[in-house]
């Protein structure tokens, strides 16, 4: 237990540049408290004391603003930064060295009593406000962008953003946990950029064809157009 606590404090130091001391982390980090409460609640849950586990998890939620179901499986060195509003469901599985920001949800999409919550593999970063829903797997060393809604599996070493979540970047090699998740690709911006580039190319080709065939720009008489609009009669 104490070894696990030391690991979590070191993880908080590595994951939060604002941390200054172990004492500060111990006394001022509700994300750490939520993990430690869960260790006790999960032990009670596995021992069959499910009511006590749920009761103490409710107290932990009141104290920390973080709701972790006692049935969820949490790996080692999981760091919850700020953490307010985080929800982790009963059948969720969270691997080692995972970083969760405030408002993240690992939720279910089924009423059946089965595996209905996500599996988060090792070294995953889940951004603020991201929602990962259903029995999906987020591959190791992946990033889920802030505010994303993920409904499908995400392969390892990938970056997933948007609603619904789309994989916009994939790498072949594993890398250490990278906290930088604010400079994620914007798929909508990239699509618009390619569309405008294509439009410019088409316009340039049209101008070239006009010059080649000696086609002049047609004169457009706005006055005649206005007179035509005035003469139009709209019938029911």
């Amino acid at each position: 237990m104490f070894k696990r606590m030391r690991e979590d404090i070191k993880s908080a130091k590595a994951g939060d540049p604002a941390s200054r001391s172990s004492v500060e982390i111990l006394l001022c980090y509700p994300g750490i408290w939520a993990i430690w409460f869960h260790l006790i609640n999960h032990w009670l849950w596995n021992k069959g004391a499910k009511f006590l586990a749920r009761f103490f998890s409710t107290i932990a939620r009141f104290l920390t603003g973080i709701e972790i179901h006692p049935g969820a499986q949490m790996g080692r060195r999981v760091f919850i930064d700020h953490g307010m509003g985080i929800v982790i469901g009963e059948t969720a599985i969270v691997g080692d060295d995972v970083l969760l920001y405030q408002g993240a949800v690992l939720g279910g999409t089924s009423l059946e009593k089965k595996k209905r919550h996500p599996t988060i593999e090792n070294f995953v970063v889940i951004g603020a406000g991201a929602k990962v829903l259903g029995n999906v797997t987020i591959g190791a060393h992946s990033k889920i962008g802030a505010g994303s809604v993920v409904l499908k599996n995400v392969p390892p070493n990938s970056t997933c953003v948007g609603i619904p979540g789309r994989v916009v970047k994939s790498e072949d090699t594993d890398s250490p946990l990278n906290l930088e998740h604010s400079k994620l690709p914007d798929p909508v911006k990239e699509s618009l950029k390619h569309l405008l580039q294509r439009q410019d190319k088409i316009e340039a080709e049209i101008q070239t064809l006009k010059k080649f065939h000696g086609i002049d720009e047609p004169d457009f008489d706005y006055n005649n157009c206005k007179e035509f609009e005035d003469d139009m009669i709209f019938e029911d």
Side-chain angles (χ1 to χ4, degrees), residues 141-154:
H141 298 272
S142 292
K143 297 179 185 178
I144 307 301
S148 301
V149 178
V150 182
L151 303 173
K152 296 181 179 179
N153 294 339
V154 175

Side-chain angles (χ1 to χ4, degrees), residues 75-192:
R76 304 180 78 91
R77 298 176 300 279
V78 175
F79 178 47
I80 297 176
D81 194 1
H82 298 288
M84 181 63 69
I86 282 180
V87 177
I88 300 176
E90 176 187 3
T91 61
I93 300 175
V94 179
D96 299 335
D97 300 289
V98 170
L99 175 59
L100 296 162
Y101 284 93
Q102 65 271 17
V105 173
L106 307 183
T109 56
S110 173
L111 296 177
E112 299 181 20
K113 292 184 178 296
K114 61 179 184 179
K115 179 72 168 70
R116 62 189 185 277
H117 296 93
T119 296
I120 311 298
E121 296 184 350
N122 301 341
F123 295 99
V124 171
V125 177
I126 300 182
K131 310 294 187 287
V132 185
L133 305 177
N135 185 18
V136 300
T137 299
I138 308 300
H141 298 272
S142 292
K143 297 179 185 178
I144 307 301
S148 301
V149 178
V150 182
L151 303 173
K152 296 181 179 179
N153 294 339
V154 175
N157 306 295
S158 300
T159 299
C160 182
V161 299
I163 303 176
R166 297 178 297 275
V167 175
V168 296
K169 183 179 179 182
S170 184
E171 300 174 353
D172 296 330
T173 58
D174 293 343
S175 59
L177 182 64
N178 185 353
L179 305 183
E180 182 56 66
H181 68 292
S182 59
K183 298 179 181 179
L184 299 179
D186 185 342
V188 176
K189 179 181 178 181
E190 292 298 321
S191 297
L192 290 175

Side-chain angles (χ1 to χ4, degrees), residues 1-47:
M1 178 68 178
F2 291 105
K3 180 180 178 181
R4 182 72 176 265
M5 293 174 68
R6 285 194 295 268
E7 282 186 353
D8 291 335
I9 290 174
K10 288 181 180 179
S11 177
K13 284 183 178 180
D16 185 7
S19 62
R20 287 179 289 272
S21 68
S22 298
V23 174
E24 180 185 48
I25 293 171
L26 184 64
L27 299 178
C28 304
Y29 278 54
I32 294 290
W33 304 346
I35 295 295
W36 293 344
F37 272 119
H38 177 72
L39 291 177
I40 299 171
N41 298 333
H42 187 63
W43 182 83
L44 290 171
W45 183 267
N46 290 335
K47 292 298 181 181

